[in-house]
Amino acid sequence: MTAEAIELVRQHLDRVSVPGAIDQSRRLELRGRIAQLLKARNAVLVAHYYTDPEIQSLAEETGGCVSDSLEMARFGKEHSATTLVVAGVRFMGETAKILSPEKRVLMPTIEATCSLDIGCPEDQFSAFCDQHPERTVVVYANTSAAVKARADWVVTSSIAVDLIDFLDKRGEKILWAPDQHLGLYVQQKTGADVLCWQGACIVHEEFKARALLDLKKVYPDAAVLVHPESPEAVVAIADVVGSTSQLIRAAAELPNKTMIVATDRGIFYKMQQAAKDKVLIEAPTAGSGGTCRSCAHCPWMAMNGLENLCHVLEDESGAGQEIFVDTETARKAMIPLQRMLDFGRSVKS
Ligand code: 13P
Ligand code: SF4
């Protein structure tokens, strides 16, 4: 990341406010109230795997969805509810709104963002694209609506390798943004000509290869599962590299009894459900990173809690937590997003 991007990330992190612990009776009261309000408002809860297990279980119990970012986009678009409550980070809410402009999209907090989104401002990104007009622009879903509007394709980690391979076979050179590690990974997997924006996820960047090798010595039979936003040296140790959904599937299907998992620890809730008899261990992060306290947990995902979720449903005005995307940006961003959904249907993601 550039020094400027690191400073922007720091400023956002200063504003992060993670919900405090709540006692059992308040917890149950909030869960009941949220379930009731979802019904009353014809709303459905769409949650990412990295949110608190409390939010994930509520989404499951109320007929919502808990998934990766690609499936969140699909689910929100196809569901008949008139309001989508997106528990995740801002780009997920924006994607939902672009794909379903007729629906109301609320988030427990629209302050929840992503270092990849912050580190790829639209004006600088557009200038980068203008310098390379011969390249097909592929952006990761973890970007603003304005950056998507500048792209030919949007992609999530679950279909990134397949899409770059497909474009490479058509003879296209790629301009990839914003995640440098995922960009390098898809380049190495496909051999495509990929020019990368130098963004990074502050959570996955903190996984450490040396400490992971040490942990492997303690658990020599464990399989190592790694999200491709992690650094190259960590990816190199992996038995399976994949999106959140792909890692959950691998945990269930691999014969190993123990898994060392290099992605946000929020994933353990669904991974343990899918792999009941397996032992799941967090891959090591170490010390204090450049921008983030090392903890394998996304500070912005952690902002989603029962209190702010209940509040956004109680306040019919949306209380500043409703997502809007201007019509022209949405129209342009819809094109690469629809391509992502159509392409995703054609591959096993
Ligand atoms: P997935 O697309 O695998 O859900 O990942 C989203 C994300 O933010 C990873 O850090
Ligand atoms: Fe962004 Fe990383 Fe958080 Fe995912 S885990 S939302 S990539 S900061």
Side-chain angles (χ1 to χ4, degrees):
M1 274 198 277
T2 61
E4 191 188 343
I6 290 173
E7 180 48 34
L8 276 173
V9 169
R10 272 191 214 286
Q11 286 170 16
H12 275 271
L13 286 171
D14 283 346
R15 296 204 292 274
V16 164
S17 144
V18 176
I22 43 179
D23 67 36
Q24 182 70 348
S25 67
R26 177 70 180 148
R27 198 187 134 250
L28 292 175
E29 181 192 335
L30 284 167
R31 288 180 73 94
R33 181 88 184 116
I34 293 165
Q36 204 180 46
L37 285 166
L38 284 168
K39 226 180 246 165
R41 306 255 184 279
N42 192 15
V44 67
L45 182 56
V46 187
H48 192 266
Y49 292 129
Y50 294 167
T51 55
D52 194 292
E54 193 78 71
I55 303 283
Q56 296 186 47
S57 60
L58 195 52
E60 289 173 322
E61 279 171 34
T62 55
C65 119
V66 182
S67 68
D68 67 4
S69 55
L70 180 63
E71 185 52 29
M72 284 172 81
R74 280 186 193 137
F75 181 91
K77 184 172 162 60
E78 285 162 16
H79 201 278
S80 59
T82 50
T83 295
L84 306 175
V85 184
V86 177
V89 294
R90 195 183 163 98
F91 78 82
M92 296 168 177
E94 283 187 348
T95 297
K97 184 67 188 174
I98 295 164
L99 291 173
S100 306
E102 75 291 358
K103 292 178 187 162
R104 197 160 190 226
V105 177
L106 301 173
M107 297 188 73
T109 167
I110 60 170
E111 296 297 316
T113 182
C114 164
S115 62
L116 289 167
D117 186 348
I118 297 167
C120 190
E122 187 273 333
D123 52 344
Q124 292 172 28
F125 180 64
S126 255
F128 185 55
C129 295
D130 289 344
Q131 285 162 20
H132 304 281
E134 75 290 0
R135 289 182 179 265
T136 300
V137 177
V138 182
V139 303
Y140 196 27
N142 302 37
T143 45
S144 65
V147 164
K148 290 184 176 79
R150 187 67 174 78
D152 299 304
W153 290 86
V154 175
V155 77
T156 68
S157 52
S158 61
I159 54 171
V161 171
D162 291 298
L163 178 70
I164 299 304
D165 192 43
F166 167 77
L167 296 175
D168 179 49
K169 290 200 169 98
R170 293 204 312 200
E172 296 176 38
K173 291 181 178 181
I174 312 299
L175 185 155
W176 169 273
D179 189 75
Q180 58 183 302
H181 301 298
L182 182 55
L184 179 65
Y185 175 68
V186 295
Q187 190 279 321
Q188 289 175 344
K189 287 293 278 186
T190 61
D193 182 337
V194 180
L195 178 68
C196 264
W197 185 267
Q198 294 300 299
C201 161
I202 56 167
V203 180
H204 290 87
E205 267 223 319
E206 289 300 310
F207 292 114
K208 304 289 179 223
R210 184 169 300 186
L212 180 52
L213 287 170
D214 288 344
L215 190 62
K216 254 184 81 105
K217 285 185 200 142
V218 182
Y219 301 97
D221 298 328
V224 177
L225 312 181
V226 174
H227 194 285
E229 287 168 14
S230 308
E232 184 182 11
V234 173
V235 169
I237 303 167
D239 295 291
V240 175
V241 181
S243 70
T244 45
S245 297
Q246 289 161 348
L247 297 183
I248 290 174
R249 216 157 39 227
E253 289 171 4
L254 286 172
N256 312 57
K257 286 275 167 264
T258 305
M259 308 286 153
I260 301 174
V261 185
T263 194
D264 185 291
R265 65 173 134 86
I267 204 174
F268 281 49
Y269 173 72
K270 289 300 277 186
M271 195 177 264
Q272 196 73 75
Q273 270 181 11
K276 290 199 174 48
D277 54 337
K278 308 277 172 85
V279 177
L280 308 177
I281 301 172
E282 278 180 38
T285 55
S288 290
T291 45
C292 184
R293 194 168 44 80
S294 253
C295 63
H297 192 36
C298 177
W300 295 296
M301 291 281 184
M303 292 174 82
N304 295 277
L306 290 180
E307 294 278 5
N308 53 11
L309 174 54
C310 189
H311 181 77
V312 77
L313 281 162
E314 252 164 359
D315 184 345
E316 291 202 61
S317 73
Q321 305 308 327
E322 180 166 0
I323 294 287
F324 297 99
V325 179
D326 84 74
T327 316
E328 188 50 15
T329 305
R331 187 190 65 74
K332 289 186 183 152
M334 180 69 180
I335 299 165
L337 272 169
Q338 188 61 53
R339 285 186 183 140
M340 169 185 86
L341 292 180
D342 293 343
F343 186 83
R345 262 190 288 274
S346 71
V347 295
K348 186 170 176 263
S349 57

